[in-house]
Amino acid sequence: MAQGISLKPKTLLLLDAHAIIHRAYHAVPNLTNSKGVPTGALFGIINMLFGILERFRPESVIACYDLPQPTFRHQVYDKYKANRQKGDDALRVQLESSREIFKALCIPMFDSIGFEADDILGTIVHRSKTEYPDYRIIIASGDMDTMQLVSGDDVIVYTLRKGLTDTVTYNEDAVNAKYGFGPKQLIDFKGLRGDTSDNIIGIPGVGEKTATLMIQEFGNIENMYAYVDEVKEFSKKDERLKKAGITERFFKLLLEHRDDAIFSKELATIRLDAPIDLKFENIKHWYECVDKDAFEKLIQEYELRSIRGKLERVIDIQMGKKPVKVVDDTWGVDTGKTGQPTLEGADTSLSAEDRIKVWLLKSYLNDPKPYDAEDIQKENGGKSLDDILQKDNMAELYEKVEKPLITILQKMTDTGIEVDLPYLKDLSKKYHAYVDNVQKEIWEMAGEEFNVSSPKQLGVVLYDKMKITEGSGIRIKSTAGGAKSTKESELEKMADAHPIIKKILEYREYTKLLNTYIDVIPTLVDAESRVHPVYIQTGAVTGRLSCENPNIQNIPIRTEIGRAIRNAFVARKGFTLASLDYSQIELRIAAILSGDKELIDIFRKGEDIHAGVAQRMYKLESLKEVTPDMRRSAKAINFGILYGMGVQALGRGLGVKQAEAQEFYLAYYSTFAGLSEYLKNCKIEAERNGFTSTLFYRRRYFQDIRSNIPFIKAAAERMAINAPIQGTDA
């Protein structure tokens, strides 16, 4: 979202610490130090904080916390946030540890019994307007509740869409663009629509669209009820009611749930009077009073290796310096020192930024886990990365494949791709209407209106009301809270149990593509209607490229909506878009790596690979005898074996019983004995060495390959089979 320019001379960053740490905890799960102390949330919040500090360069930072005691909202409404799971011990430990980190970084912390972090944030924002008007305020949060505090370009919210890297910044114009009304009206929106995450009820049956129309017409809940009291009864001819989307049914609901709406608005309103002992004149510039030694000691204690040395860089940026990692003849960059580059022996054809990418690439090839130079040298007897890559036969992979891509990918990002914005706008209208219709069909099948996107509400409808799995023998996994799961994988098990399941899966697919591409891409274009995706070389352990802002690699091609989205990308005048693809690349690689004579024979003869496999498996005289069903079965196992598919999965894919799938499985491996032997050796090699290699010696390590737990070991074996093929493809 675009952000305007504030004229305020100073910037104050407010951290919604609890929300961000909670998000970081779920984004970086199961990360611990060697003593078993959980560190994932700490790793996440430090990285996010440093990213914000580099981007906005605030003079001062304040962290705001929730406390475990009930708040005033719980006192007036005992069901407030009642449906939220309590944080586990690992999260609670890291919440406390984060205070040590903020203390070392000279970041004061505020909390207050009976109030939430949002109320602390609101109070600081409110007081700053009168007590310290020189401050421009940036609120960094893990959710959207704080957007009601946005004001012009002077109070903005920097929040997370998902994970820790997909962020968006909202000033007042951006809030209006997203919702169709201003920040202060978000509390009216919540009062009408409710909020399932906080268990705020709102008015039953009022959804996002109707709540938006009501606010756009009346401004707020109070004005709406004043008009309802004025007209007293519903009329189809009333223009204001019509504009607000208020039908006769909704009119009755408004009257019945007046108190609920007003009470819900009160619950959603951030307080501006939390009792905190804040004196703005005592808030210091964080970078002038930071305790570097204490911070580095904490980083060592929690073994957050990849963060080591980053603090100096952030401080240099804050002070207006331009930090450059020192380069030498072997590393490309040093272990965290800053200063002017020393180029003796380094590749001077690359920019300083690209030299940093060079080091990251070399480190990534050595092991995709985050390490710093000092740790790599310690673990490899003092050898440099160049020595390690040479020893492991990856020097050529780096020089001929990875290194040339640095500048190519940057040029791709800089050039970007043109987007047909009017076309996307029409697409948005079309598919939002389609999703609305699918939702109505789901409601009709369910016999009630509910939030289809809410796992909890969906679970109640499917399992408690409709009892879809009762007596079916279908086993559905449970969530951590004990409720039956509504994940896509679980819904697919019930696809034939009731037509509502397929409609729910369709609703999810279309909603996801609307929220990921159709409605988001227009916010990412530049003045020339071009998006500039960032291509990442170190984002996947297989060596494949990943992509973000937007992720144009994962737009589906086999669905109507996916193809429609792809058509939004157009060539500039005088150019043509070309689509290039390798034919059956992974199966060809499997043939090369395994040396299987039968597979190689099929490719050399130019036969259809699936028909060729079917002919040999069924021992037919010619390809003409291969039926569509035979080819389909061959195709299922051709792709399945590349991902370590077992007999049960094959049976499900073919729609046959396990005994028949077993027979088919054995026939495949006896026909393609060379491939069978290769796949078996992949498992043996992975268990012996701890890794497997691609044709170009790229390694992938498997920590769980020697696990004593069968299903964990089996999962590692499947990855070990796939890694050389997918990695060579990459």
Side-chain angles (χ1 to χ4, degrees), residues 88 225 227 283 290 356 428 454 479 543 558 569 597 697 729:
D88 58 29
Y225 276 112
Y227 189 76
I283 300 297
V290 62
I356 293 173
S428 179
S454 164
T479 65
R558 291 184 175 87
F569 298 98
K597 293 179 181 178
Y697 304 105
D729 177 16

Side-chain angles (χ1 to χ4, degrees), residues 490-694:
E490 301 307 301
L491 293 181
E492 285 174 347
K493 295 178 184 177
M494 305 182 286
D496 297 326
H498 195 286
I500 195 173
I501 302 298
K502 289 182 179 177
K503 284 295 175 183
I504 291 166
L505 290 170
E506 184 180 16
Y507 174 87
R508 285 187 175 179
E509 178 195 1
Y510 279 68
T511 301
K512 180 181 177 181
L513 292 174
L514 278 165
N515 295 338
T516 305
Y517 296 109
I518 296 176
D519 291 342
V520 172
I521 288 174
T523 70
L524 301 174
V525 300
D526 62 14
E528 297 179 344
S529 298
R530 300 179 75 80
V531 289
H532 298 270
V534 177
Y535 303 93
I536 305 165
Q537 284 175 265
T538 56
V541 290
T542 59
R544 283 186 167 181
L545 285 177
S546 58
C547 178
E548 62 184 18
N549 295 328
N551 181 0
I552 61 171
Q553 290 185 173
N554 286 352
I555 303 173
I557 195 170
R558 291 184 175 87
T559 61
E560 177 195 339
I561 186 172
R563 291 190 294 272
I565 294 170
R566 284 169 174 257
N567 288 336
F569 298 98
V570 295
R572 63 171 56 166
K573 193 173 181 181
F575 290 80
T576 302
L577 277 181
S579 177
L580 309 175
D581 193 11
Y582 287 105
S583 174
Q584 311 295 354
I585 182 64
E586 290 192 347
L587 286 167
R588 291 176 189 271
I589 291 169
I592 293 168
L593 293 176
S594 67
D596 189 286
K597 293 179 181 178
E598 294 294 336
L599 273 180
I600 291 171
D601 185 57
I602 293 171
F603 284 119
R604 282 184 172 162
K605 288 180 177 178
E607 295 174 0
D608 174 277
I609 181 63
H610 305 308
V613 167
Q615 179 197 353
R616 287 158 178 77
M617 282 183 62
Y618 290 102
K619 303 189 186 311
L620 305 175
E621 291 294 327
S622 71
L623 289 173
K624 293 179 181 178
E625 297 179 55
V626 176
T627 66
D629 281 345
M630 290 176 179
R631 185 184 183 279
R632 182 178 66 85
S633 298
K635 183 177 181 179
I637 195 169
N638 269 340
F639 287 119
I641 58 102
L642 303 184
Y643 294 90
M645 180 178 66
V647 175
Q648 288 184 336
L650 177 62
R652 287 195 298 270
L654 296 177
V656 299
K657 293 182 179 178
Q658 187 168 337
E660 188 177 344
Q662 176 74 28
E663 188 178 333
F664 194 80
Y665 200 82
L666 292 174
Y668 185 93
Y669 281 116
S670 63
T671 304
F672 301 98
L675 180 62
S676 174
E677 186 69 15
Y678 166 74
L679 297 177
K680 184 173 71 175
N681 287 334
C682 277
K683 296 180 185 179
I684 294 171
E685 179 190 342
E687 184 154 4
R688 182 174 61 242
N689 301 324
F691 64 86
T692 55
S693 301
T694 69

Side-chain angles (χ1 to χ4, degrees), residues 343-359:
L343 300 177
E344 290 84 6
D347 187 345
T348 56
S349 67
L350 297 174
S351 67
E353 182 179 356
D354 284 346
R355 286 196 291 274
I356 293 173
K357 291 179 183 178
V358 161
W359 184 86

